[in-house]
Amino acid sequence: MKNLPGKHGTTRYLTRLIDQKRQVANRNTACPPSLPRPALLSCDEYPFASTWQGASTGGGNYSRRMIDAKQNSAGGGALGGFYLYNRIIESDKFLVWIK
């Protein structure tokens, strides 16, 4: 089992990454375009591409999984809403609590 940062209740924070090019590099490291994607699924990565702990900027300690594409898109939208609502800006620390 991987020991990834960001779990609520720890002090191993995720930190927000704004730079779009670095986010793309994080996404492409975890989920390269050459990775086959079954119908209706998309590649989801953790830590999020929008964090400094992402696959490229975080030193390569990440996880990926194929999940329902609509749910993945909705999750990305929820994360963007979280950033906006809570005013999470560059290098702000945060933790994730999944219900």
Side-chain angles (χ1 to χ4, degrees), residues 49-99:
S50 57
T51 67
W52 281 100
Q53 292 72 30
S56 174
T57 56
N61 187 22
Y62 65 90
S63 179
R64 73 173 174 222
R65 183 176 196 149
M66 294 295 167
I67 66 170
D68 180 88
K70 288 182 182 179
Q71 289 179 350
N72 196 8
S73 182
L79 181 60
F82 165 78
Y83 289 150
L84 182 64
Y85 180 79
N86 292 286
R87 298 182 179 152
I88 306 295
I89 60 172
E90 180 67 33
S91 297
D92 276 355
K93 296 177 182 179
F94 66 97
L95 297 169
V96 178
W97 184 5
I98 305 294
K99 287 185 173 186

